[in-house]
Amino acid sequence: PDPNQGDHDWIIKMSGNMDKDKIRKLIEVARVVNEVRGEWVVAKREMDENPTDTTKKRNFKNVQKKRDRWEERFRLFRMGTTFFYIVSSFVNVDILTTDYFKKLMQTMDFSEFMVSILSIYPKLEIGKMFYPTLSSKNFFSDGFNYTRRDDFGTLDNFEECSLDLKYVWHDQPLEAGLDTGNMCSLPVGQPQGRVYRGLKEFYTLPPKFLPELGKEFRDFFKYHKLKELHLYHDRAANNYESVGEDHASKIKKAIEYNEDGSATGWVVTLMNRNQPTISQQQEHELFLDLLSGRNPDLPLLVIDRHNCPNWKSSMELAEKLIRTDKHGNKRVHKIKTSEKLPKNELPKRSTNFSDAGKYLMCRPEYLEKTKGESSRMTGMPSTH
């Protein structure tokens, strides 16, 4: 389905019903069933070729009982199971022939052909994107270092950590953006010369909240040498700061202290305590430069597509809206309706992660170097 053309994407939502671990076990059981069926075929042929041999007949009956047992196990285990897999219509090329696809290419718009025939999930059209300069150059695929995993004897107890990140600078501070609410998002990155590198993402959904988010960060980066985190948070996370109940203080505490109250060695600096408002127009203009690389005074934003899949998807799906103010000036806004999606759809499809990335990148030293709308900064930035 192509939601850009009004199609309902209910079939895509079915992917969430697939239990991958169960599918793997089903494949293992299916292989056993297949082997037993092979034994049954051999036993039946031997019995038919030796009709007076009672041993062959007894062996066939035993194998048949074994086959029936395994087929029943397989049938019961399959019940209530969803297998979701996307394939191209080209799987039927031997029946439909290449001429069929050539005719479709001539009669269909190529974007429609990509969705309907190649089964490539549709992206938001560039004209509708809040981040229109986002492209393949903003993502890298080789961010995982397999050395530690290759040396590991078994994958059963393997636990990923920052040692498996190829591009992290372990002796430099980490930075993160924080967006809180029904979903809490925490993309982590580092400025690395001419690029700003998005390294890893974390998120929680109810009933999990900031303590669990902090623990996930601590566990993953427990071997980071310089335990300093610069946290750029939503201005709303400052609410109730005077009584220590603000979200910024809570995530700071969740990272600096274990559940038993002992210090972890991490020092979290809250960067956005006294931030002025940054408009979505300014965010839009800043990211035009950060994503295009056209501003020599700003780094190029590059994100690990495998370790930050939801941050990537959130930016790709963020849609813009043009509004005209009372003075007749047009301003770009980000459509936020996706934040009302069911909670299991929020990580990949809502604007939550893109907002967390916004808090991470909309800092004074970057905003002052944009070519678009200017802003006099008196503190650290926020957006609205």
Side-chain angles (χ1 to χ4, degrees):
D2 188 349
N4 295 331
Q5 304 300 324
D7 295 344
H8 198 287
D9 61 348
W10 65 271
I11 190 69
I12 301 298
K13 296 177 182 178
M14 294 293 287
S15 64
N17 294 336
M18 182 170 70
D19 183 338
K20 293 183 180 180
D21 289 335
K22 187 175 182 181
I23 294 298
R24 293 187 185 98
K25 290 183 176 67
L26 268 173
I27 293 173
E28 293 174 8
V29 175
R31 286 172 177 163
V32 175
V33 171
N34 196 53
E35 292 173 0
V36 173
R37 285 173 176 170
E39 294 176 19
W40 182 87
V41 170
V42 172
K44 187 175 188 307
R45 183 177 65 243
E46 291 178 348
M47 181 187 69
D48 291 343
E49 291 174 352
N50 303 275
T52 59
D53 191 330
T54 56
T55 301
K56 300 289 185 185
K57 187 174 183 179
R58 189 183 314 111
N59 180 60
F60 169 73
K61 289 183 177 181
N62 290 336
V63 171
Q64 182 162 284
K65 290 179 181 178
K66 181 180 178 182
R67 184 202 65 177
D68 292 344
R69 284 197 307 272
W70 275 101
E71 288 188 343
E72 179 64 7
R73 290 167 181 164
F74 188 48
R75 184 188 69 80
L76 293 174
F77 195 39
R78 287 178 62 188
M79 292 180 66
T81 303
T82 298
F83 178 71
F84 185 92
Y85 194 66
I86 297 176
V87 295
S88 153
S89 296
F90 278 110
V91 295
N92 294 320
V93 67
D94 56 335
I95 298 172
L96 298 173
T97 74
T98 55
D99 288 338
Y100 171 80
F101 294 103
K102 288 179 180 179
K103 290 178 181 177
L104 288 179
M105 278 286 290
Q106 295 168 357
T107 58
M108 297 176 71
D109 178 83
F110 185 67
S111 60
E112 183 183 0
F113 185 84
M114 288 176 62
V115 176
S116 301
I117 305 303
L118 302 182
S119 296
I120 297 174
Y121 194 78
K123 293 184 178 179
L124 199 62
E125 297 173 7
I126 290 181
K128 297 180 179 179
M129 293 178 69
F130 185 81
Y131 305 102
T133 51
L134 184 71
S135 67
S136 59
K137 71 180 179 182
N138 300 117
F139 304 103
F140 58 97
S141 304
D142 61 338
F144 198 89
N145 184 354
Y146 291 94
T147 303
R148 205 170 64 93
R149 170 164 281 181
D150 291 341
D151 292 340
F152 206 78
T154 173
L155 299 182
D156 292 344
N157 299 315
F158 182 80
E159 183 180 4
E160 288 186 12
C161 68
S162 60
L163 296 177
D164 304 310
L165 297 181
K166 183 177 181 180
Y167 294 108
V168 66
W169 291 358
H170 294 282
D171 56 353
Q172 295 295 315
L174 294 171
E175 298 181 346
L178 175 68
D179 183 52
T180 60
N182 192 32
M183 169 183 167
C184 295
S185 308
L186 189 77
V188 179
Q190 281 182 327
Q192 299 180 351
R194 286 295 302 134
V195 301
Y196 189 98
R197 200 175 291 276
L199 298 168
K200 182 66 177 177
E201 67 176 37
F202 304 91
Y203 71 90
T204 57
L205 296 170
K208 293 183 178 180
F209 195 46
L210 297 174
E212 291 83 1
L213 186 63
K215 185 178 187 308
E216 286 189 24
F217 172 87
R218 291 195 326 259
D219 290 346
F220 187 83
F221 284 104
K222 60 186 175 183
Y223 299 114
H224 196 72
K225 294 179 181 178
L226 184 61
K227 288 183 165 52
E228 292 183 14
L229 176 65
H230 299 164
L231 186 65
Y232 295 84
H233 52 277
D234 177 7
R235 186 172 67 166
N238 289 325
N239 294 343
Y240 307 108
E241 176 187 354
S242 60
V243 291
E245 288 299 316
D246 58 298
H247 291 173
S249 293
K250 285 186 175 181
I251 189 66
K252 173 180 168 71
K253 182 178 178 181
I255 293 174
E256 292 183 339
Y257 296 92
N258 286 315
E259 292 82 357
D260 61 3
S262 59
T264 62
W266 280 97
V267 176
V268 180
T269 303
L270 302 178
M271 307 297 289
N272 292 3
R273 273 308 196 193
N274 301 304
Q275 55 191 356
T277 298
I278 301 299
S279 70
Q280 290 181 352
Q281 176 74 29
Q282 287 175 294
E283 176 203 350
H284 174 73
E285 291 175 353
L286 173 61
F287 273 88
L288 289 178
D289 286 354
L290 288 172
L291 298 171
S292 67
R294 67 191 182 191
N295 189 334
D297 296 324
L298 289 170
L300 175 70
L301 177 60
V302 292
I303 300 171
D304 190 323
R305 66 169 62 240
H306 299 305
N307 284 301
C308 307
N310 296 303
W311 187 9
K312 174 180 182 291
S313 177
S314 181
M315 292 185 70
E316 290 173 336
L317 297 177
E319 194 170 354
K320 73 178 180 182
L321 175 68
I322 306 296
R323 289 177 179 161
T324 304
D325 62 23
K326 60 183 179 181
H327 303 294
N329 300 314
K330 292 183 177 180
R331 291 287 183 266
V332 177
H333 295 264
K334 187 189 297 184
I335 297 177
K336 311 281 281 185
T337 53
S338 60
E339 296 182 7
K340 300 185 183 299
L341 288 167
K343 69 177 184 180
N344 63 305
E345 296 182 36
L346 290 175
K348 192 168 290 294
R349 299 185 61 192
S350 78
T351 54
N352 292 100
F353 252 113
S354 72
D355 283 348
K358 162 186 64 181
Y359 302 131
L360 176 60
M361 305 307 296
C362 286
R363 55 187 71 182
E365 61 268 32
Y366 288 174
L367 286 164
E368 290 171 357
K369 295 174 182 177
T370 59
K371 297 177 181 179
E373 179 178 327
S374 62
S375 173
R376 292 186 61 188
M377 302 301 301
T378 57
M380 300 305 289
S382 177
T383 59
H384 74 286

